[in-house]
Amino acid sequence: LAAQPERHVAASAIVGLVNDPRDSLLSSAVSARVPFVDITRWTPRIAAAVARIALAGTHSPVVLASGWMAGLVARTAALLAKAVGGQLDAIESSVRYALADASGADSVDYIDRLWIPFDATQDGAPITVLPLRDARRVQIAGHRTTVRRIDTPDQWSLPLTLGARSATLRLGFDSAIAGAGLAFITRLGFFRWFASERFRGLRHAVLRGREDDSHPGASAAFSVDVSNTAGTRCGMSLSKADGQAALTAVGAWLAVRFA
């Protein structure tokens, strides 16, 4: 399908589960007027996809659900925002990543951007953020976890869609040593020195390790806290014992369900 965008598509919906840097799958779905859900893009590629869709026009739903866990974090934020009501002040999200969890190769592509500053919104104004800085200690599903800033589409989309004055997402690990070590080598310039494509496997091995070291069932969790300008707050933590892939599947299913 991706190699033949003009081919007729007989499907009720298409879900993009792997990286599609040339937008072949997206273009095929749009031209065939088939609802399309994508869960694999990072912030700059979402912006590019929005521009492509706006120029091409679409006659069927296109859902760019590439926030963390296929947009499940963003959906949780939207649910809490409705409960809080009023003008939203801040959305603060934190993810607890299990190092032993099984994951596909595309699930850690964000590690290729750990040396690149990114844009976010704070107090209603754009700011530039350095990855893996601004550490906090938070409770995520009953676990005290150190989390640090990371570039995700949620921080770009939530101020636009929900009107929040600030949106942050921080990533932490079930190993405090691993989290501190990753932040340390990032500051040393490891990912900048080994940024070329030939070192991709080395970069990804920092998080994924060997395939036989990973297994389904390493518990994954995240938390979201939302506050409005009047000071009302509401928070929620979600966890799943069978891993991040299971939470991502929930997010993808919801995106298809409400497309």
Side-chain angles (χ1 to χ4, degrees):
L1 176 62
Q4 297 176 302
E6 75 284 355
R7 181 179 172 183
H8 175 69
V9 180
S12 56
I14 295 173
V15 182
L17 302 178
V18 296
N19 286 327
D20 181 28
R22 294 183 177 85
D23 288 335
S24 299
L25 190 59
L26 170 64
S27 299
S28 297
V30 169
S31 63
R33 302 190 177 189
V34 175
F36 179 67
V37 173
D38 185 274
I39 69 168
T40 61
R41 295 172 188 271
W42 293 98
T43 312
R45 290 183 53 228
I46 282 190
V50 169
R52 181 184 293 273
I53 294 166
L55 291 172
T58 179
H59 300 276
S60 57
V62 175
V63 181
L64 302 175
S66 296
W68 203 278
M69 297 173 185
L72 190 58
V73 169
R75 286 185 180 276
T76 302
L79 177 67
L80 295 174
K82 186 176 181 180
V84 167
Q87 171 63 50
L88 292 185
D89 181 39
I91 299 173
E92 298 184 357
S93 308
S94 300
V95 174
R96 181 179 170 89
Y97 186 96
L99 291 174
D101 197 4
S103 60
D106 288 348
S107 66
V108 292
D109 264 8
Y110 66 86
I111 205 168
D112 294 334
R113 302 184 54 80
L114 285 184
W115 60 280
I116 304 174
F118 61 92
D119 294 331
T121 301
Q122 181 174 304
D123 298 328
I127 62 169
T128 299
V129 181
L130 295 176
L132 295 182
R133 306 291 178 93
D134 191 17
R136 304 282 177 88
R137 290 278 288 172
V138 298
Q139 287 281 351
I140 305 177
H143 298 281
R144 195 72 172 166
T145 308
T146 299
V147 293
R148 296 172 175 85
R149 293 293 297 270
I150 187 173
D151 183 14
T152 69
D154 310 82
Q155 298 168 104
W156 176 73
S157 62
L158 289 175
L160 292 175
T161 57
L162 298 181
R165 299 182 69 249
S166 301
T168 64
L169 190 142
R170 294 179 175 88
L171 174 68
F173 300 89
D174 56 356
S175 166
I177 294 175
L182 182 63
F184 179 69
I185 65 173
T186 300
R187 292 190 186 193
L188 284 180
F190 172 86
F191 295 103
R192 183 173 64 253
W193 299 335
F194 297 97
S196 67
E197 182 61 25
R198 61 176 174 153
F199 293 118
R200 188 172 188 265
L202 174 63
R203 296 192 303 271
H204 289 197
V206 172
L207 281 187
R208 298 188 72 219
R210 299 180 307 171
E211 290 293 339
D212 55 3
D213 289 336
S214 301
H215 57 86
S219 181
F222 69 88
S223 66
V224 181
D225 291 282
V226 174
S227 60
N228 64 18
T229 53
T232 305
R233 302 181 64 89
C234 190
M236 180 184 296
S237 289
L238 293 177
S239 64
K240 199 156 178 56
D242 45 356
Q244 182 167 305
L247 281 172
T248 300
V250 172
W253 181 85
L254 288 172
V256 173
R257 173 68 178 80
F258 293 103

